[in-house]
Amino acid sequence: MADCIFCKIAAHEAPATIVHEDEDVVAFEDLGHRAPLHVLVIPRRHVASLAEADAATAGTVAAAAARVAREAGYAERGYRVVTNVGPDAGQSVPHLHFHVLAGRPLGWPPG
Ligand code: DGP
């Protein structure tokens, strides 16, 4: 999608610190860094949110999120994977992304 910042990151047309990429997904550090590990995992193909993703896309992104956490060393200690959908959840970028957060105790419920 032409004016989507995450599509541009996936196409290497905008800067990002990419920690993993393959033909289906790209994982890169979140600019906001809310935890020692804060990575966003996105599908390369533009999908606005989880509400519009098919099962294969959602599953591929979820599996990649777990892989990012595992490869960063948080499999035992734990981590959180969350995706915001729509305005009440605070979704600010309309391209499906799973946040992977780890490295500190994560409060529950989230704000
Ligand atoms: P959400 O609020 O769930 O839509 O999360 C969007 C996240 O995307 C937010 O934590 C900040 C991050 N973000 C927004 N623009 C950029 C960008 O250009 N580069 C990177 N690395 N992260 C971004």
Side-chain angles (χ1 to χ4, degrees):
M1 200 178 187
D3 59 350
C4 171
I5 182 63
F6 286 0
C7 284
K8 287 183 177 153
I9 288 172
H12 295 192
E13 291 168 359
T17 302
I18 292 174
V19 300
H20 169 80
E21 63 182 321
D22 58 39
E23 63 180 318
D24 297 317
V25 303
V26 181
F28 54 95
E29 291 184 6
D30 189 296
L31 272 185
H33 254 268
R34 301 301 186 99
L37 178 76
H38 189 174
V39 166
L40 302 174
V41 185
I42 66 169
R44 281 194 186 277
R45 187 174 62 83
H46 185 88
V47 180
S49 76
L50 184 63
E52 297 181 23
D54 59 30
T57 299
T60 298
V61 176
R67 173 182 168 164
V68 164
R70 186 173 65 248
E71 291 186 348
Y74 291 104
E76 297 299 323
R77 188 172 155 186
Y79 55 90
R80 180 167 297 154
V81 178
V82 64
T83 187
N84 294 317
V85 179
D88 270 6
Q91 183 180 6
S92 59
V93 179
H95 181 132
L96 172 63
H97 50 283
F98 281 15
H99 296 254
V100 184
L101 299 137
R104 65 170 173 79
L106 298 161
W108 191 263

